[in-house]
Amino acid sequence: MFFFGKTKTDPSQPHQDWPWALNLGGRPSMQLSWDVLESELRALNLDDPDSFLILEQQEPGDSKNYWFIQSSINRAGPKPGWYTVEIGWGSRQEMALWDLDVQTVEEVIPYFRTAYGRKPVDRTGFEDMSDMLG
């Protein structure tokens, strides 16, 4: 913490003062509450290729600064049927993407609950996939 002034915001974590937006399968949701978010996470399914959820923030006035957490069910790859949780952020200086596969939605929910509560999300066990970003 700086003696005079604010502490620097960690771009890898949810922002306290940026608004939330919820994207369901590529469509913005007009409703956002914890109950809606949890219900939509539980509704993710393997049969629908558009079954994914993104909880995202953008800095007001600068869409180049953003943070998100997203989830879907793996349709292929080494862990089909498992849930993927991804956390990403970006600014004019950097972009990052971290990925974790878990077996159940019960393992996914705490990450979203923490993020939605604007608390630091523990990335222990996540893999840094940032090198895959263009």
Side-chain angles (χ1 to χ4, degrees):
M1 178 189 272
F2 297 110
F3 187 72
F4 295 104
K6 293 179 159 183
T7 57
K8 184 169 170 30
T9 302
D10 182 351
S12 72
Q13 297 295 337
H15 296 267
Q16 296 300 311
D17 54 350
W18 293 1
W20 285 118
L22 180 60
N23 182 310
L24 303 171
R27 298 174 306 283
S29 173
M30 296 299 117
Q31 298 182 10
L32 179 55
S33 68
W34 173 249
D35 290 340
V36 168
L37 186 55
E38 184 177 10
S39 174
E40 293 294 340
L41 283 168
R42 292 182 185 284
L44 292 173
N45 70 78
L46 188 58
D47 298 327
D48 181 358
D50 289 328
S51 184
F52 63 89
L53 180 150
I54 306 170
L55 181 62
E56 56 193 335
Q57 298 178 307
Q58 285 186 349
E59 181 178 8
D62 190 350
S63 62
K64 298 278 187 195
N65 291 328
Y66 60 87
W67 187 93
F68 68 85
I69 183 170
Q70 63 187 9
S71 188
S72 64
I73 301 175
N74 296 328
R75 295 173 54 90
K79 296 181 180 172
W82 286 41
Y83 290 79
T84 292
V85 178
E86 292 181 328
I87 296 171
W89 61 93
S91 68
R92 295 179 190 281
Q93 292 79 33
E94 69 171 326
M95 291 188 328
L97 181 66
W98 289 67
D99 178 87
L100 175 71
D101 290 321
V102 295
Q103 287 185 289
T104 69
V105 72
E106 299 305 326
E107 294 170 277
V108 173
I109 289 171
Y111 292 106
F112 278 82
R113 182 177 288 125
T114 299
Y116 187 71
R118 299 175 188 272
K119 304 245 186 309
V121 178
D122 181 3
R123 291 193 321 267
T124 302
F126 280 72
E127 183 178 353
D128 186 351
M129 307 293 282
S130 302
D131 60 340
M132 296 178 62
L133 300 174

